[in-house]
Amino acid sequence: MDFTDTVALITGSSRGIGRATALRFAGAGAGVVINYRQTGGRSERQARELADEISRQGRRATVVQADIGVREDLERLFAAVEAEYQRLDFLILNAARAPFKPVEAMLEREWRQLVETNFIGQVLCLRAALPLLEKSGGKAVYVSSLGSRFYLPAYPLGAMKAAMEAMVRHWAESVRGRGVNLNAVCGGIVRTDSFKVLRQFWDGLESLPEELLLEPDELAEVILFLCTPAARGIRGQTIVVDRGLSNRFH
């Protein structure tokens, strides 16, 4: 996988799946735009540490703060990408923000934030990226999860993941004539910060065999594959990466 002279933007890439994906793209030769949401916190520190790590590998990395649920932030994000690189080849829609909370206990403002960040924000992010992706014949990959198709307790984000999987199918066809391709990856149980929280709500998660738990790299590798010419026959699809966990659901 040679991504020399290409540029990848990974939203929400200061940690977890996003971080692993940024490292994979950098390792393959791409310039990487690292995005985090909130200034002055842990995410900013992690984003800058990641950029330093990539730079030490001799690759180019740029850090941009932006909340994809805020239109002005999106405008600034893509202005920074164009100013720094003058191109964008790959957009990885990884950022997400949602409470771990039963849906019946969600407040109206929480529902609005859920939709504005995890659906409207994703769509606007993709729309803002399209002019640059069209110039490069680029690709976009959305990062989903099993909550899009199975009930997970206290996981309202799953509804937005399902909606975005549908949007990936729609967008893939609507931009076909513009030379841009879209797909999604649907991850199983991944060892990230969210996994630690999910254990508090999902009875039996602790007893899952180790062989069914994913490392962030396993998703990152599939995301990278979907951005290669080898995946040119895949369009508008959601690839499940879960070590077969969903085969056991009834």
Side-chain angles (χ1 to χ4, degrees), residues 16 26 30 41 53-54 65 92 98 103 107 114 125 131 134 154 161 163 171 187 209 218 223 243 247 250:
E53 182 176 347
I54 290 172
Q65 180 275 326
I92 312 304
V103 294
L107 303 175
L114 184 75
C125 189
E134 186 175 5
K161 297 288 189 182
W171 276 88
E218 294 175 79
I223 291 168
R243 292 193 175 188
N247 296 333
H250 299 288

Side-chain angles (χ1 to χ4, degrees), residues 220-231:
E221 288 166 2
V222 178
I223 291 168
L224 205 70
F225 166 72
L226 287 173
C227 293
T228 66

Side-chain angles (χ1 to χ4, degrees), residues 225-243:
F225 166 72
L226 287 173
C227 293
T228 66
R232 63 189 178 277
I234 305 173
R235 173 176 289 271
Q237 301 301 306
T238 298
I239 309 299
V240 176
V241 184
D242 70 350
R243 292 193 175 188

Side-chain angles (χ1 to χ4, degrees), residues 15-237:
R15 61 182 184 269
I17 297 166
R19 182 182 188 279
T21 303
L23 287 170
R24 284 290 178 179
F25 271 104
V32 177
V33 181
I34 300 164
N35 161 248
Y36 68 97
R37 183 178 65 85
Q38 192 170 19
T39 301
R42 179 186 176 199
S43 292
E44 179 177 7
R45 184 182 72 255
Q46 291 173 320
R48 299 198 181 281
E49 288 171 353
L50 175 59
D52 290 342
E53 182 176 347
I54 290 172
S55 296
R56 287 194 296 271
Q57 297 173 5
R59 304 302 184 189
R60 194 171 174 185
T62 304
V63 177
V64 184
Q65 180 275 326
D67 183 338
I68 66 164
V70 178
R71 184 187 298 270
E72 293 78 11
D73 282 18
L74 279 178
E75 292 173 355
R76 180 166 44 78
L77 171 62
F78 285 98
V81 172
E82 190 155 21
E84 183 73 18
Y85 296 96
Q86 297 81 53
R87 67 180 297 146
L88 180 65
D89 300 88
F90 311 112
L91 171 67
I92 312 304
L93 293 166
N94 173 69
R97 184 185 182 194
F100 283 91
K101 194 173 185 179
V103 294
E104 65 273 13
M106 292 272 286
L107 303 175
E108 181 178 345
R109 61 175 172 79
E110 291 174 322
W111 279 111
R112 291 187 181 279
Q113 183 183 79
L114 184 75
V115 176
E116 287 170 1
T117 298
N118 303 291
F119 184 74
I120 297 174
Q122 306 285 352
V123 171
L124 292 180
C125 189
L126 181 55
R127 188 172 74 176
L130 275 176
L132 287 170
L133 292 174
E134 186 175 5
K135 288 179 183 178
S136 64
K139 299 179 180 180
V141 180
Y142 173 70
V143 180
S144 187
S145 71
L146 289 179
S148 66
R149 54 197 67 195
F150 298 105
Y151 168 66
L152 298 179
Y155 192 72
L157 182 58
M160 298 298 98
K161 297 288 189 182
M164 279 303 301
E165 287 183 20
M167 281 302 300
V168 165
R169 293 192 295 272
H170 176 87
W171 276 88
E173 291 305 317
S174 66
V175 302
R176 180 188 287 269
R178 298 173 68 173
V180 179
N181 193 9
L182 286 88
N183 287 291
V185 293
C186 178
I189 306 301
V190 188
R191 296 181 193 271
T192 64
D193 292 344
S194 295
F195 172 72
K196 298 172 185 176
V197 179
L198 192 58
R199 287 185 300 185
Q200 302 173 30
F201 299 97
W202 188 357
D203 291 337
L205 188 58
E206 294 281 4
S207 62
L208 276 180
E210 288 288 316
E211 67 187 42
L212 295 179
L213 302 180
L214 288 166
E215 296 298 332
D217 273 352
E218 294 175 79
L219 269 180
E221 288 166 2
V222 178
I223 291 168
L224 205 70
F225 166 72
L226 287 173
C227 293
T228 66
R232 63 189 178 277
I234 305 173
R235 173 176 289 271
Q237 301 301 306

